[in-house]
Amino acid sequence: MAFTVEDLRDLAELLRAHPEWREPLWALLASEEVRRMPERMERSFQRAARLILALYRAQRQHYKEFVAHRAETDRRFAELAEAQRRTEESLRRLAEEFAAHRQEFIAHRQEFIAHRQEFLEFRAEVDRRFAELAEAQRRHYEEFAAYRAETDRRFAELAEAQRRHYEEFAAHRAETDRRFAELAEALRILTERVDRMERRQEDHSRDLGRLKSMRLEALYREDPGLFRPLLRRAAVVPSARKMELLEEAEAAGRITTEEVDRAAPLDALVEGFHRREDRRVYLAVEISWQGTTKDVARAVERAAVFARALGAEVIPVVAAKELTAPARRMARARGVWWLQDGRAFAPQEIPEEGPESEEA
């Protein structure tokens, strides 16, 4: 039976437990010559023994590591064996599936052969029909070529007819342009004459409007009774007295020179007594055949100047045969009275309807 490392370890334990056994064991192991070696050699031998013991311990550690490595290797080999088993099982299933697919492929191949035969027959039929279509196309092309030649001939005839018609049209258009030019010139002359007549009519209308306004202004100045709807004992202030009143107010510093210039053209300044109250009031009257917003604005502005000049109440009035719709709206908004043929309309009583247009 071989002497193992474990036996050596047990021997070392016995020798430590029974030191007296060392000498007999040494006598058995060493020769006479070795026993007679000096003490220095004995220390060398002890060092060698310690070295052997260190080697033994390292071998023991390596053995433990080997055992652990072998266990890990066995585990990995078991995993590899399981993977191999699963692989073989997969290969077996693949082989079965391949066999089934091979049978299916054989069946499909037979169907493909049958379909290929049908396709060859169909292609032959298609080739035959294409040949028939090619022949029909050739005949159609010949018919089309003949038709195109006939069409080209007819287009040539149409082009020639179109050319002759265009020449006739050009001559007709030249004649028409000449006549239109004559008509345009005649229309221009007629338009100029109508424009001159319209301008003359406008001039006549303006002159007539001025004459009507002048006549109406003279009427109101000559007949103070027309102001009876607004005043009692009404009297028109003469133009010279009207200027004296403005100049006196300017000298007293109640109004400015510019205000004198703006108020002096007032058509009529009327004084009298209020219809319901016994107090003196004045009317700043703008007279026009057709009253406009300009007349309303002038009446308001000039009444304000005369009110400061006289230190009295001055009522703005527009005396007119008619008031435009814009003038009516302005009069209602700015408190201007409308005097029409002896009838007085308070601002809030002025009708809203009237002609929209105004003279410039």
Side-chain angles (χ1 to χ4, degrees):
M1 182 176 181
F3 189 78
T4 64
V5 175
E6 293 294 329
D7 295 335
L8 182 59
R9 184 180 61 79
D10 295 339
L11 176 59
E13 293 294 333
L14 289 173
L15 291 177
R16 280 193 293 274
H18 302 280
E20 66 274 11
W21 291 0
R22 297 179 181 178
E23 190 64 28
L25 180 61
W26 175 252
L28 292 175
L29 295 175
S31 62
E32 184 66 22
E33 182 179 1
V34 173
R35 288 197 301 272
R36 289 196 299 271
M37 291 176 67
E39 183 180 356
R40 181 175 56 82
M41 296 298 293
E42 183 178 1
R43 287 197 299 271
S44 298
F45 181 78
Q46 290 177 357
R47 286 196 299 272
R50 286 194 297 272
L51 179 60
I52 291 171
L53 182 60
L55 290 173
Y56 160 72
R57 291 174 178 171
Q59 183 180 6
R60 183 178 179 185
Q61 179 65 28
H62 292 165
Y63 178 75
K64 291 180 180 179
E65 294 176 358
F66 169 74
V67 170
H69 179 69
R70 184 174 62 185
E72 177 66 17
T73 302
D74 292 342
R75 184 185 63 78
R76 292 184 178 180
F77 269 114
E79 294 177 354
L80 288 174
E82 178 63 21
Q84 179 68 21
R85 185 188 64 77
R86 291 195 299 269
T87 302
E88 291 176 355
E89 181 67 20
S90 299
L91 290 174
R92 183 183 61 78
R93 288 196 302 272
L94 289 174
E96 293 175 355
E97 293 176 359
F98 175 75
H101 292 164
R102 184 174 181 277
Q103 293 297 326
E104 184 177 357
F105 172 75
I106 293 172
H108 289 169
R109 184 173 180 275
Q110 293 175 352
E111 293 179 1
F112 172 75
I113 293 172
H115 292 163
R116 184 176 182 277
Q117 183 62 31
E118 293 178 0
F119 170 73
L120 292 175
E121 295 174 357
F122 174 74
R123 187 173 64 180
E125 177 66 17
V126 170
D127 291 341
R128 183 185 64 78
R129 292 185 178 180
F130 267 114
E132 293 177 355
L133 287 174
E135 178 63 19
Q137 179 70 20
R138 185 188 62 78
R139 291 194 302 269
H140 293 163
Y141 180 76
E142 291 177 354
E143 295 175 358
F144 171 73
Y147 174 75
R148 185 174 61 181
E150 177 64 17
T151 303
D152 291 341
R153 184 186 62 79
R154 291 183 178 180
F155 268 114
E157 293 177 355
L158 288 174
E160 178 62 20
Q162 180 69 22
R163 184 187 62 79
R164 291 195 302 270
H165 293 162
Y166 180 76
E167 290 177 353
E168 294 174 359
F169 170 74
H172 176 70
R173 185 175 62 181
E175 178 64 18
T176 303
D177 292 342
R178 183 185 63 78
R179 292 182 179 180
F180 269 113
E182 293 176 356
L183 288 174
E185 178 62 20
L187 181 61
R188 184 187 64 79
I189 295 173
L190 179 62
T191 303
E192 291 179 353
R193 291 177 179 176
V194 171
D195 290 341
R196 287 196 296 270
M197 291 178 63
E198 288 180 350
R199 287 195 294 271
R200 290 175 182 174
Q201 182 67 29
E202 291 175 357
D203 293 340
H204 293 163
S205 298
R206 283 195 295 270
D207 293 341
L208 181 59
R210 294 192 188 99
L211 290 174
K212 289 180 178 180
S213 297
M214 292 172 62
R215 180 68 185 91
L216 189 64
E217 183 176 344
L219 179 64
Y220 276 99
R221 287 178 177 175
E222 293 171 0
D223 186 5
L226 294 174
F227 298 103
R228 289 187 67 258
L230 295 174
L231 299 178
R232 291 183 296 106
R233 296 164 58 186
V236 178
V237 177
S239 298
R241 178 55 182 162
K242 180 176 63 176
M243 285 303 302
E244 289 178 1
L245 294 174
L246 291 174
E247 291 172 354
E248 290 174 359
E250 179 188 4
R254 292 193 295 273
I255 58 175
T256 65
T257 303
E258 291 77 10
E259 289 175 331
V260 171
D261 294 336
R262 290 199 299 271
L266 179 68
D267 292 337
L269 179 65
V270 183
E271 63 177 340
F273 292 89
H274 198 279
R275 295 293 300 175
R276 293 182 298 275
E277 301 175 9
D278 190 17
R279 57 188 176 85
R280 183 176 292 277
V281 295
Y282 291 84
L283 303 180
V285 185
E286 288 294 325
I287 304 171
S288 178
W289 188 263
Q290 178 171 280
T292 64
T293 53
K294 293 181 179 179
D295 296 314
V296 175
R298 284 195 292 262
V300 172
E301 180 184 22
R302 292 166 180 175
V305 174
F306 273 102
R308 291 196 301 276
L310 299 171
E313 180 183 359
V314 180
I315 301 173
V317 179
V318 174
K321 285 287 187 178
E322 186 58 76
L323 277 183
T324 63
R328 296 185 186 208
R329 290 192 290 271
M330 180 182 287
R332 290 170 61 90
R334 304 186 67 173
V336 178
W337 286 68
W338 178 23
L339 193 60
Q340 182 190 41
D341 296 333
R343 180 184 177 187
F345 293 94
Q348 67 276 11
E349 298 174 353
I350 297 176
E352 294 184 357
E353 295 182 359
E356 289 290 339
S357 61
E358 293 197 356
E359 295 293 334

